[in-house]
Amino acid sequence: DVKVTQSSRYLVKRTGEKVFLECVQDMDHENMFWYRQDPGLGLRLIYFSYDVKMKEKGDIPEGYSVSREKKERFSLILESASTNQTSMYLCASSLETSSSYNEQFFGPGTRLTVL
Amino acid sequence: ILNVEQSPQSLHVQEGDSTNFTCSFPSSNFYALHWYRWETAKSPEALFVMTLNGDEKKKGRISATLNTKEGYSYLYIKGSQPEDSATYLCACMNYGGSQGNLIFGKGTKLSVKP
């Protein structure tokens, strides 16, 4: 059974803290993605990675960085959390992007609150 | 950036009703369209991935059509059941976009009353 897991379902942090959100997939997928979802907006892509140590900016990368040291793990880092980063964060993975036919598999999400 | 529009924003139907909703996207440089279902407290799950104009896909009581020339896709649910209650997301990719970069609509939230 395909599985994408995220380290926390709920997280509360303070402004200025460094925050790590971890995502692990067990499907040997090449591609991994980080999205955020806010009320009234669609899922927005923050960063994605198509291979170990490779990363590309999505539509809203400002204030975030990522790390992919192993194929199965993709971390999202908030260098200095701010209140406008309060959101639901979703991780996803898919087979290699040479074909966009490949569906994305999503984790359960992390609801982050920055106070 | 692609603009993907979904309508309606929300929908309330009775059990047994059939329903449909729309996803609109720019028709130029179209590459693929994805539909996902996102139930509350669960992860979004893929329903369909469609690429060809005129494509029609079906999974149980749910089906989808694709018109790439005019830039829309319909999702149909026949005989809605309470377990169909979810937010339905469509996402589009076009040529020239970053690889892997799906642009999502805001979703249609479906509530099915028993």
Side-chain angles (χ1 to χ4, degrees):
Chain A
D1 196 20
V2 158
K3 193 172 281 185
V4 179
T5 57
Q6 295 182 227
S7 49
S8 307
R9 290 301 299 269
Y10 299 94
L11 207 53
V12 180
K13 295 291 181 181
R14 297 208 173 273
T15 301
E17 279 192 77
K18 190 168 186 176
V19 182
F20 293 86
L21 302 183
E22 306 285 346
C23 176
V24 177
Q25 50 95 4
D26 64 359
M27 297 162 282
D28 202 35
H29 284 170
E30 290 80 9
N31 308 312
M32 296 187 76
F33 308 85
W34 274 107
Y35 295 92
R36 63 178 283 177
Q37 203 266 336
D38 299 290
L41 299 175
L43 286 174
R44 293 182 293 165
L45 183 66
I46 304 170
Y47 268 97
F48 70 97
S49 168
Y50 51 90
D51 202 351
V52 174
K53 296 191 186 295
M54 306 302 287
K55 62 184 179 185
E56 289 225 11
K57 293 180 180 179
D59 298 320
I60 50 165
E62 297 78 18
Y64 303 95
S65 62
V66 290
S67 172
R68 187 141 181 229
E69 297 296 318
K70 294 185 178 181
K71 190 176 185 180
E72 67 270 18
R73 188 179 296 269
F74 192 35
S75 303
L76 181 70
I77 303 153
L78 286 66
E79 296 291 342
S80 177
S82 63
T83 54
N84 63 11
Q85 292 178 310
T86 292
S87 188
M88 168 72 89
Y89 290 87
L90 283 160
C91 175
S93 71
S94 71
L95 287 171
E96 64 176 291
T97 51
S98 57
S99 168
S100 67
Y101 311 158
N102 297 317
E103 63 189 272
Q104 293 188 8
F105 294 86
F106 285 85
T110 295
R111 188 166 291 282
L112 172 68
T113 302
V114 182
L115 301 174
Chain B
I1 296 178
L2 276 181
N3 195 29
V4 178
E5 301 283 346
Q6 290 189 248
S7 63
Q9 187 175 346
S10 64
L11 200 50
H12 298 263
V13 302
Q14 289 293 134
E15 182 175 354
D17 287 351
S18 293
T19 187
N20 67 84
F21 20 96
T22 307
C23 174
S24 302
F25 52 87
S27 57
S28 59
N29 300 317
F30 171 84
Y31 193 52
L33 187 98
H34 296 213
W35 279 102
Y36 291 84
R37 175 169 60 199
W38 193 0
E39 296 178 67
T40 303
K42 294 187 177 181
S43 309
E45 288 184 342
L47 287 171
F48 306 113
V49 178
M50 308 172 80
T51 57
L52 299 175
N53 185 46
D55 240 357
E56 183 168 342
K57 297 209 171 182
K58 190 174 180 182
K59 186 183 283 190
R61 294 178 291 100
I62 303 177
S63 60
T65 61
L66 179 66
N67 184 321
T68 62
K69 294 187 187 304
E70 296 181 39
Y72 64 84
S73 175
Y74 292 137
L75 190 79
Y76 299 91
I77 302 178
K78 186 177 177 182
S80 303
Q81 300 296 309
E83 58 265 31
D84 296 328
S85 296
T87 296
Y88 291 82
L89 302 172
C90 76
C92 186
M93 183 189 299
N94 69 342
Y95 286 100
S98 298
Q99 281 194 342
N101 195 350
L102 283 173
I103 305 297
F104 282 83
K106 296 177 184 180
T108 293
K109 186 172 183 178
L110 175 67
S111 299
V112 182
K113 287 187 178 179

